[in-house]
Structure formats: structure tokens, C-alpha cells
Coordinates of all heavy atoms in Angstrom, one line a residue:
M53 N -7.8 31.3 -50.3 CA -8.0 29.9 -50.7 C -7.0 29.6 -51.9 O -6.8 30.5 -52.7 CB -9.5 29.8 -51.2 CG -9.9 28.3 -51.4 SD -11.6 28.2 -51.7 CE -11.9 28.8 -53.3
P54 N -6.4 28.5 -51.8 CA -5.4 28.1 -52.9 C -6.1 28.1 -54.3 O -7.2 27.7 -54.4 CB -4.9 26.8 -52.5 CG -5.2 26.6 -51.1 CD -6.4 27.4 -50.8
M55 N -5.3 28.5 -55.3 CA -5.8 28.5 -56.7 C -6.4 27.1 -57.1 O -7.4 27.1 -57.8 CB -4.7 28.9 -57.7 CG -4.4 30.4 -57.6 SD -5.8 31.5 -57.7 CE -6.4 31.1 -59.3
I56 N -5.8 26.0 -56.7 CA -6.2 24.7 -57.1 C -7.7 24.5 -56.6 O -8.5 23.8 -57.3 CB -5.3 23.6 -56.5 CG1 -5.6 22.3 -57.2 CG2 -5.3 23.5 -55.0 CD1 -4.6 21.2 -56.9
L57 N -8.0 25.1 -55.5 CA -9.4 24.9 -55.0 C -10.4 25.8 -55.8 O -11.5 25.4 -56.1 CB -9.5 25.2 -53.5 CG -9.1 24.1 -52.6 CD1 -9.1 24.5 -51.2 CD2 -10.1 22.9 -52.8
Y58 N -9.9 27.0 -56.2 CA -10.7 27.8 -57.1 C -11.0 27.0 -58.4 O -12.2 27.0 -58.8 CB -10.0 29.1 -57.5 CG -10.2 30.2 -56.5 CD1 -9.2 30.4 -55.5 CD2 -11.2 31.1 -56.5 CE1 -9.3 31.4 -54.5 CE2 -11.3 32.1 -55.5 CZ -10.4 32.2 -54.5 OH -10.5 33.2 -53.6
S59 N -10.0 26.4 -59.0 CA -10.2 25.7 -60.2 C -11.1 24.5 -60.0 O -12.1 24.3 -60.8 CB -8.8 25.1 -60.7 OG -7.9 26.1 -60.9
F60 N -11.0 23.8 -58.9 CA -11.9 22.7 -58.7 C -13.3 23.1 -58.5 O -14.2 22.5 -59.1 CB -11.4 21.9 -57.4 CG -12.3 20.8 -57.0 CD1 -12.2 19.6 -57.7 CD2 -13.2 20.9 -56.0 CE1 -13.0 18.5 -57.4 CE2 -14.0 19.8 -55.6 CZ -13.9 18.6 -56.3
L61 N -13.5 24.1 -57.7 CA -14.9 24.6 -57.4 C -15.5 25.3 -58.6 O -16.8 25.3 -58.7 CB -14.9 25.5 -56.1 CG -14.4 24.8 -54.8 CD1 -14.3 25.8 -53.7 CD2 -15.4 23.7 -54.5
E62 N -14.7 25.8 -59.5 CA -15.3 26.5 -60.7 C -15.7 25.4 -61.7 O -16.6 25.6 -62.5 CB -14.3 27.5 -61.3 CG -14.2 28.8 -60.5 CD -13.0 29.6 -60.8 OE1 -12.3 29.3 -61.8 OE2 -12.8 30.6 -60.1
Q63 N -15.0 24.3 -61.7 CA -15.1 23.3 -62.7 C -16.3 22.3 -62.4 O -16.8 21.7 -63.3 CB -13.8 22.5 -62.8 CG -13.5 22.0 -64.2 CD -12.1 21.5 -64.3 OE1 -11.2 22.0 -63.6 NE2 -11.9 20.5 -65.1
Y64 N -16.5 22.0 -61.2 CA -17.5 21.0 -60.8 C -18.7 21.7 -60.1 O -18.6 22.7 -59.5 CB -16.9 20.0 -59.9 CG -15.8 19.2 -60.5 CD1 -14.5 19.6 -60.5 CD2 -16.2 18.0 -61.3 CE1 -13.5 18.8 -61.1 CE2 -15.2 17.3 -61.9 CZ -13.9 17.7 -61.8 OH -12.9 17.0 -62.5
D65 N -19.9 21.0 -60.3 CA -21.1 21.5 -59.7 C -21.4 20.5 -58.5 O -21.8 19.4 -58.7 CB -22.3 21.4 -60.7 CG -23.6 21.9 -60.1 OD1 -23.6 22.3 -58.9 OD2 -24.6 21.8 -60.8
L66 N -21.3 21.1 -57.3 CA -21.5 20.3 -56.1 C -22.9 20.5 -55.5 O -23.1 20.3 -54.3 CB -20.4 20.5 -55.1 CG -18.9 20.2 -55.6 CD1 -17.9 20.6 -54.5 CD2 -18.8 18.8 -56.0
S67 N -23.8 21.0 -56.3 CA -25.2 21.2 -55.8 C -25.7 20.0 -55.1 O -25.5 18.8 -55.7 CB -26.1 21.6 -57.0 OG -25.7 22.8 -57.5
G68 N -26.3 20.2 -54.0 CA -26.9 19.0 -53.3 C -25.9 18.3 -52.4 O -26.3 17.4 -51.6
K69 N -24.6 18.6 -52.5 CA -23.6 18.0 -51.7 C -23.3 18.8 -50.5 O -23.6 20.0 -50.4 CB -22.3 17.8 -52.5 CG -22.4 17.2 -53.8 CD -22.6 15.7 -53.7 CE -22.6 15.0 -55.1 NZ -23.1 13.6 -55.0
T70 N -22.7 18.2 -49.5 CA -22.3 18.9 -48.3 C -20.7 19.0 -48.4 O -20.1 18.0 -48.6 CB -22.7 18.1 -47.0 OG1 -24.1 18.1 -47.0 CG2 -22.2 18.8 -45.8
I71 N -20.2 20.2 -48.2 CA -18.8 20.4 -48.2 C -18.4 20.7 -46.7 O -18.9 21.5 -46.1 CB -18.4 21.6 -49.0 CG1 -18.8 21.4 -50.5 CG2 -16.9 21.9 -49.0 CD1 -18.6 22.6 -51.4
V72 N -17.4 19.8 -46.2 CA -17.0 19.9 -44.9 C -15.5 20.4 -44.9 O -14.6 19.6 -45.0 CB -17.1 18.6 -44.1 CG1 -16.8 18.7 -42.7 CG2 -18.5 18.0 -44.3
P73 N -15.3 21.7 -44.7 CA -13.9 22.2 -44.8 C -13.0 21.9 -43.6 O -13.5 22.1 -42.5 CB -14.1 23.7 -45.0 CG -15.6 23.9 -45.2 CD -16.2 22.8 -44.5
F74 N -11.8 21.5 -43.9 CA -10.8 21.4 -42.8 C -9.4 21.8 -43.4 O -9.1 21.4 -44.5 CB -10.8 20.0 -42.2 CG -10.5 18.9 -43.2 CD1 -9.3 18.3 -43.4 CD2 -11.6 18.3 -43.9 CE1 -9.0 17.3 -44.3 CE2 -11.4 17.3 -44.8 CZ -10.1 16.8 -45.0
I75 N -8.7 22.5 -42.6 CA -7.4 23.0 -43.1 C -6.3 23.0 -42.1 O -6.5 23.0 -40.9 CB -7.6 24.5 -43.5 CG1 -8.0 25.4 -42.4 CG2 -8.6 24.6 -44.7 CD1 -7.7 26.8 -42.6
T76 N -5.1 23.1 -42.6 CA -3.9 23.6 -41.8 C -3.5 24.9 -42.3 O -3.8 25.3 -43.5 CB -2.7 22.6 -41.9 OG1 -2.3 22.6 -43.3 CG2 -3.1 21.2 -41.5
S77 N -2.8 25.7 -41.5 CA -2.3 27.0 -42.0 C -1.1 27.4 -41.2 O -0.8 26.8 -40.1 CB -3.4 28.1 -41.9 OG -3.6 28.5 -40.6
G78 N -0.5 28.5 -41.6 CA 0.6 29.1 -40.9 C 0.0 29.9 -39.7 O 0.4 29.7 -38.6
A79 N -0.9 30.7 -40.1 CA -1.6 31.6 -39.1 C -2.9 32.1 -39.6 O -3.7 32.6 -38.8 CB -0.7 32.7 -38.6
S80 N -3.1 32.1 -40.9 CA -4.2 32.8 -41.5 C -5.6 32.1 -41.2 O -6.6 32.8 -41.3 CB -4.1 32.8 -43.0 OG -2.9 33.4 -43.4
G81 N -5.6 30.9 -40.9 CA -6.9 30.2 -40.7 C -7.7 30.2 -42.0 O -7.1 30.2 -43.0
F82 N -9.0 30.2 -41.8 CA -9.9 30.1 -43.0 C -9.9 31.4 -43.8 O -10.2 31.4 -45.0 CB -11.3 29.7 -42.6 CG -11.5 28.3 -42.4 CD1 -11.7 27.7 -41.2 CD2 -11.6 27.4 -43.5 CE1 -11.9 26.4 -41.0 CE2 -11.8 26.0 -43.4 CZ -12.0 25.5 -42.1
S83 N -9.6 32.5 -43.2 CA -9.7 33.8 -43.8 C -11.1 33.8 -44.5 O -12.1 33.5 -43.8 CB -8.6 34.1 -44.8 OG -7.4 34.1 -44.2
G84 N -11.2 34.1 -45.8 CA -12.5 34.2 -46.4 C -13.0 32.9 -47.1 O -13.9 32.9 -47.9
T85 N -12.3 31.8 -46.8 CA -12.5 30.6 -47.6 C -13.9 30.1 -47.6 O -14.4 29.7 -48.6 CB -11.5 29.5 -47.1 OG1 -10.2 29.8 -47.4 CG2 -11.8 28.1 -47.7
I86 N -14.5 30.0 -46.4 CA -15.9 29.4 -46.3 C -16.9 30.3 -47.1 O -17.7 29.7 -47.9 CB -16.3 29.2 -44.9 CG1 -15.4 28.1 -44.3 CG2 -17.7 28.9 -44.7 CD1 -15.6 27.7 -42.9
G87 N -16.8 31.6 -47.0 CA -17.6 32.5 -47.8 C -17.4 32.3 -49.3 O -18.3 32.3 -50.1
T88 N -16.1 32.2 -49.7 CA -15.8 32.0 -51.1 C -16.4 30.7 -51.6 O -16.9 30.6 -52.7 CB -14.2 32.0 -51.3 OG1 -13.7 33.2 -50.8 CG2 -13.9 31.9 -52.8
M89 N -16.3 29.6 -50.8 CA -16.8 28.3 -51.2 C -18.3 28.5 -51.4 O -18.9 27.9 -52.4 CB -16.6 27.3 -50.2 CG -15.1 26.8 -50.2 SD -14.9 25.5 -48.9 CE -13.5 24.7 -49.6
Q90 N -19.0 29.2 -50.5 CA -20.5 29.4 -50.6 C -20.8 30.1 -51.9 O -21.8 29.8 -52.6 CB -21.0 30.1 -49.4 CG -21.0 29.2 -48.2 CD -21.3 30.0 -46.9 OE1 -20.9 31.2 -46.8 NE2 -21.8 29.4 -45.9
E91 N -20.0 31.1 -52.3 CA -20.2 31.9 -53.5 C -20.0 31.0 -54.7 O -20.8 31.1 -55.7 CB -19.2 33.1 -53.6 CG -19.7 34.2 -52.7 CD -18.5 35.3 -52.6 OE1 -17.7 35.4 -53.6 OE2 -18.5 35.9 -51.6
L92 N -19.0 30.2 -54.7 CA -18.6 29.4 -55.9 C -19.6 28.1 -56.0 O -19.7 27.6 -57.1 CB -17.2 28.9 -55.9 CG -16.1 30.0 -56.0 CD1 -14.7 29.5 -55.8 CD2 -16.3 30.7 -57.4
Q93 N -20.2 27.7 -54.9 CA -21.0 26.5 -54.9 C -22.3 26.9 -54.2 O -22.7 26.3 -53.1 CB -20.3 25.4 -54.2 CG -19.1 24.8 -54.9 CD -19.5 24.1 -56.2 OE1 -20.6 23.5 -56.4 NE2 -18.6 24.1 -57.2
P94 N -23.2 27.8 -54.8 CA -24.4 28.2 -54.2 C -25.4 27.1 -53.9 O -26.2 27.2 -53.0 CB -24.9 29.3 -55.1 CG -24.3 29.0 -56.4 CD -22.9 28.4 -56.1
G95 N -25.3 26.0 -54.6 CA -26.2 24.9 -54.4 C -25.8 23.9 -53.4 O -26.5 22.9 -53.1
A96 N -24.6 24.1 -52.9 CA -24.0 23.1 -51.9 C -24.3 23.6 -50.5 O -24.5 24.8 -50.3 CB -22.6 22.9 -52.2
N97 N -24.2 22.7 -49.6 CA -24.3 23.0 -48.1 C -22.9 23.1 -47.6 O -22.2 22.0 -47.4 CB -25.1 22.0 -47.4 CG -25.0 22.1 -45.9 OD1 -24.8 23.2 -45.4 ND2 -25.0 20.9 -45.2
V98 N -22.3 24.3 -47.5 CA -21.0 24.4 -47.0 C -21.0 24.5 -45.4 O -21.6 25.5 -44.9 CB -20.2 25.6 -47.6 CG1 -18.8 25.7 -47.1 CG2 -20.3 25.6 -49.1
V99 N -20.5 23.6 -44.7 CA -20.5 23.6 -43.3 C -19.6 24.8 -42.8 O -18.5 24.9 -43.1 CB -19.9 22.2 -42.7 CG1 -19.7 22.3 -41.2 CG2 -20.9 21.1 -43.1
E100 N -20.3 25.6 -42.0 CA -19.5 26.9 -41.6 C -18.6 26.6 -40.4 O -17.6 27.3 -40.2 CB -20.5 28.0 -41.2 CG -21.3 28.4 -42.5 CD -22.1 29.7 -42.2 OE1 -21.9 30.4 -41.2 OE2 -22.9 30.0 -43.1
N101 N -18.9 25.5 -39.7 CA -18.0 25.2 -38.5 C -16.9 24.2 -39.0 O -16.9 23.0 -38.7 CB -18.9 24.5 -37.5 CG -18.1 24.0 -36.3 OD1 -17.0 24.5 -36.0 ND2 -18.7 23.1 -35.5
G102 N -16.0 24.8 -39.8 CA -14.9 23.9 -40.3 C -13.9 23.7 -39.3 O -13.9 24.4 -38.2
Y103 N -12.9 22.9 -39.6 CA -11.8 22.6 -38.6 C -10.5 23.3 -39.1 O -10.1 23.0 -40.3 CB -11.6 21.1 -38.4 CG -10.5 20.9 -37.3 CD1 -10.8 21.0 -36.0 CD2 -9.2 20.5 -37.7 CE1 -9.8 20.8 -35.0 CE2 -8.2 20.2 -36.7 CZ -8.6 20.4 -35.4 OH -7.6 20.2 -34.4
S104 N -9.9 24.1 -38.3 CA -8.7 24.8 -38.6 C -7.7 24.6 -37.6 O -7.9 24.8 -36.4 CB -9.1 26.3 -38.8 OG -7.9 27.1 -38.8
I105 N -6.4 24.3 -38.0 CA -5.4 24.2 -37.0 C -4.1 24.7 -37.6 O -3.8 24.6 -38.8 CB -5.2 22.7 -36.5 CG1 -4.2 22.6 -35.4 CG2 -4.7 21.8 -37.7 CD1 -4.3 21.3 -34.6
T106 N -3.3 25.4 -36.8 CA -2.0 25.9 -37.3 C -0.9 24.9 -37.3 O -1.0 24.0 -36.4 CB -1.6 27.2 -36.5 OG1 -1.5 26.8 -35.1 CG2 -2.6 28.3 -36.7
R107 N 0.1 25.1 -38.1 CA 1.1 24.0 -38.3 C 1.9 23.7 -37.0 O 2.5 22.7 -36.9 CB 2.0 24.4 -39.4 CG 2.8 25.6 -39.2 CD 3.7 26.0 -40.4 NE 4.1 27.3 -40.2 CZ 4.4 28.1 -41.2 NH1 4.3 27.7 -42.5 NH2 4.9 29.3 -41.0
N108 N 2.0 24.7 -36.1 CA 2.7 24.5 -34.9 C 1.9 23.9 -33.7 O 2.4 23.8 -32.6 CB 3.4 25.8 -34.4 CG 2.5 26.9 -34.2 OD1 1.3 26.8 -34.6 ND2 2.9 28.0 -33.7
R109 N 0.7 23.5 -34.1 CA -0.2 22.9 -33.0 C -0.7 21.5 -33.5 O -1.7 21.0 -33.0 CB -1.4 23.8 -32.7 CG -0.9 25.1 -32.1 CD -2.1 26.0 -31.7 NE -2.8 25.4 -30.6 CZ -3.9 26.1 -30.1 NH1 -4.3 27.2 -30.5 NH2 -4.5 25.5 -29.1
M110 N 0.1 20.9 -34.4 CA -0.4 19.7 -35.1 C -0.6 18.5 -34.1 O -1.4 17.7 -34.3 CB 0.5 19.2 -36.2 CG 0.5 20.1 -37.4 SD -1.1 20.5 -38.0 CE -1.6 18.8 -38.6
E111 N 0.1 18.5 -33.0 CA 0.0 17.5 -32.0 C -1.4 17.4 -31.4 O -1.9 16.4 -30.9 CB 1.0 17.5 -30.9 CG 0.9 18.7 -29.9 CD 1.4 20.0 -30.5 OE1 1.9 20.0 -31.6 OE2 1.4 21.0 -29.8
E112 N -2.1 18.6 -31.5 CA -3.5 18.6 -31.0 C -4.5 18.1 -32.0 O -5.7 18.0 -31.7 CB -3.9 20.1 -30.6 CG -3.0 20.7 -29.5 CD -3.3 22.2 -29.4 OE1 -4.4 22.6 -29.7 OE2 -2.3 22.8 -28.9
A113 N -4.1 17.9 -33.2 CA -5.0 17.6 -34.3 C -5.8 16.3 -34.1 O -7.1 16.3 -34.3 CB -4.3 17.5 -35.6
P114 N -5.2 15.1 -33.7 CA -6.1 13.9 -33.5 C -7.3 14.1 -32.6 O -8.4 13.8 -32.9 CB -5.1 12.9 -33.0 CG -3.7 13.4 -33.4 CD -3.8 14.9 -33.4
A115 N -7.0 14.7 -31.4 CA -8.1 14.9 -30.5 C -9.0 16.0 -31.0 O -10.3 15.9 -30.9 CB -7.5 15.3 -29.1
G116 N -8.4 17.0 -31.6 CA -9.2 18.2 -32.1 C -10.2 17.7 -33.2 O -11.3 18.1 -33.2
V117 N -9.7 16.9 -34.1 CA -10.5 16.5 -35.2 C -11.6 15.5 -34.7 O -12.8 15.7 -35.2 CB -9.6 15.7 -36.3 CG1 -10.5 15.0 -37.3 CG2 -8.7 16.7 -37.0
A118 N -11.3 14.7 -33.8 CA -12.3 13.8 -33.2 C -13.4 14.6 -32.5 O -14.6 14.3 -32.8 CB -11.7 12.8 -32.2
A119 N -13.0 15.6 -31.8 CA -14.0 16.4 -31.1 C -14.9 17.2 -32.1 O -16.1 17.3 -31.9 CB -13.4 17.4 -30.1
W120 N -14.3 17.7 -33.1 CA -15.0 18.4 -34.2 C -16.0 17.5 -34.9 O -17.1 17.9 -35.1 CB -13.9 19.0 -35.1 CG -14.5 19.6 -36.4 CD1 -15.3 20.7 -36.5 CD2 -14.2 19.1 -37.7 NE1 -15.6 20.9 -37.8 CE2 -14.9 20.0 -38.6 CE3 -13.5 18.1 -38.3 CZ2 -14.9 19.8 -40.0 CZ3 -13.4 18.0 -39.6 CH2 -14.1 18.8 -40.5
L121 N -15.5 16.3 -35.3 CA -16.4 15.4 -36.0 C -17.6 15.0 -35.1 O -18.7 14.8 -35.6 CB -15.6 14.1 -36.4 CG -14.6 14.3 -37.6 CD1 -13.8 13.1 -37.8 CD2 -15.3 14.8 -38.8
K122 N -17.4 14.8 -33.8 CA -18.5 14.6 -32.9 C -19.5 15.7 -32.9 O -20.7 15.5 -32.9 CB -17.9 14.3 -31.4 CG -17.5 12.9 -31.2 CD -17.1 12.7 -29.7 CE -16.3 11.4 -29.6 NZ -15.6 11.3 -28.3
E123 N -18.9 16.9 -32.8 CA -19.7 18.1 -32.8 C -20.6 18.2 -34.0 O -21.8 18.6 -34.0 CB -18.8 19.3 -32.8 CG -19.2 20.5 -32.0 CD -18.1 21.6 -32.1 OE1 -17.0 21.3 -31.5 OE2 -18.4 22.6 -32.7
L124 N -20.1 17.8 -35.2 CA -20.9 17.8 -36.4 C -21.8 16.6 -36.5 O -22.6 16.5 -37.4 CB -19.9 17.8 -37.6 CG -19.0 19.0 -37.8 CD1 -18.1 18.8 -39.1 CD2 -19.8 20.3 -38.0
G125 N -21.6 15.6 -35.6 CA -22.5 14.4 -35.7 C -22.0 13.4 -36.6 O -22.8 12.4 -36.9
Y126 N -20.7 13.4 -37.0 CA -20.2 12.4 -37.9 C -19.5 11.3 -37.1 O -19.0 10.3 -37.7 CB -19.2 13.0 -38.9 CG -19.9 13.9 -39.9 CD1 -19.5 15.2 -40.1 CD2 -20.9 13.4 -40.7 CE1 -20.1 16.1 -41.0 CE2 -21.5 14.2 -41.7 CZ -21.1 15.5 -41.8 OH -21.7 16.3 -42.7
L127 N -19.3 11.5 -35.8 CA -18.6 10.5 -35.0 C -19.4 10.4 -33.7 O -19.8 11.4 -33.1 CB -17.2 11.0 -34.7 CG -16.1 10.0 -34.3 CD1 -15.8 9.1 -35.5 CD2 -14.9 10.8 -34.0
N128 N -19.5 9.1 -33.2 CA -20.2 9.0 -31.9 C -19.3 9.3 -30.7 O -18.1 9.0 -30.7 CB -20.7 7.5 -31.8 CG -21.9 7.3 -32.8 OD1 -22.7 8.2 -33.0 ND2 -21.9 6.1 -33.4
Ligands
FMN158 C1 3.5 29.1 -51.0 C2 2.9 29.0 -49.6 C3 2.1 30.0 -49.2 C4 1.6 30.0 -47.9 N1 0.7 31.0 -47.5 C5 0.2 31.0 -46.2 C6 -0.7 32.0 -45.8 O1 -1.0 33.0 -46.6 N2 -1.2 31.9 -44.6 C7 -0.9 30.9 -43.7 O2 -1.5 30.9 -42.6 N3 -0.1 29.9 -44.1 C8 0.5 30.0 -45.3 N4 1.4 29.0 -45.7 C9 1.8 28.0 -44.7 C10 1.1 26.6 -45.0 O3 -0.2 26.8 -45.4 C11 1.3 25.7 -43.8 O4 2.6 25.4 -43.7 C12 0.5 24.5 -44.0 O5 -0.8 24.7 -43.8 C13 1.0 23.4 -43.1 O6 0.8 22.2 -43.8 P1 2.0 21.5 -44.6 O7 2.6 20.7 -43.5 O8 1.3 20.7 -45.6 O9 2.9 22.6 -45.1 C14 1.9 29.0 -47.0 C15 2.7 28.0 -47.5 C16 3.3 28.0 -48.7 C17 4.2 26.9 -49.2

């Protein structure tokens, strides 16, 4: 997880909030990011089914994001 996110998650209390992670990457995907978010924000609901796409598949992102949001119930 990038340092800027460590700083943000250490500085703010997101208890009671829902965190919906989505990322681009070269190849690493989420790695340990979702677990780290859960550790840093124990009072928050961190959605484990985040959206991850690699930079060389960006053309799939619009359809992929829409399908993912439907899966989560955020889109009809
Ligand atoms: C300093 C730096 C470190 C990066 N480290 C990783 C990495 O460890 N794993 C990975 O999958 N991608 C890594 N990347 C690739 C970027 O995360 C990837 O290019 C980005 O998600 C695509 O979004 P962009 O168009 O904003 O660059 C790194 C990029 C930079 C600039």
C-alpha cells in the first residue's frame, strides 16, 4: 500500500464508515492492502471484494467497474 494511504488511514478515524477499495497496478494487485486497511481501521467495514485491474488491461475497466458495482449492490 502506498505511504500516502498509510498516512491517511493513521490520521483519520473511519469507524462506522464503509471503505470500498479499487486500484490499478502493474501486476501486484491488492497484495496485503485490504488486510492492512482492516488493521489500521478496525472500526470500519472494509469491503473485501475490491476492484483491481492491471495497467495493461485498462480498456476493460469501464465494463469491469460497472459489473463490480452491480455485484456490490451500488448499481442497478
Ligand atoms: C514508484 C512506483 C512504484 C510502483 N510499484 C508497483 C508495484 O510494486 N506493483 C505494481 O503492480 N505496480 C507498481 N507500480 C505501477 C503502477 O502502480 C501502475 O503503473 C499504476 O497502477 C497504473 O496507474 P497510473 O496510470 O496512474 O500509473 C509502481 C509505479 C510507480 C511509479
Side-chain angles (χ1 to χ4, degrees):
M53 190 168 75
M55 288 309 296
I56 192 169
L57 278 175
Y58 279 92
S59 302
F60 177 77
L61 294 172
E62 285 166 5
Q63 211 169 331
Y64 293 92
D65 179 7
L66 301 180
S67 293
K69 307 285 186 193
T70 297
I71 300 173
V72 186
F74 56 96
I75 60 158
T76 62
S77 74
S80 303
F82 276 108
S83 298
T85 291
I86 290 179
T88 304
M89 285 180 157
Q90 287 167 334
E91 280 168 30
L92 294 174
Q93 292 291 333
N97 167 33
V98 183
V99 170
E100 294 192 14
N101 178 20
Y103 184 75
S104 166
I105 190 164
T106 54
R107 65 183 166 207
N108 55 351
R109 299 181 65 177
M110 290 311 293
E111 69 281 359
E112 297 170 27
V117 168
W120 169 65
L121 290 174
K122 274 184 195 166
E123 218 177 289
L124 294 181
Y126 291 123
L127 202 66
N128 291 322

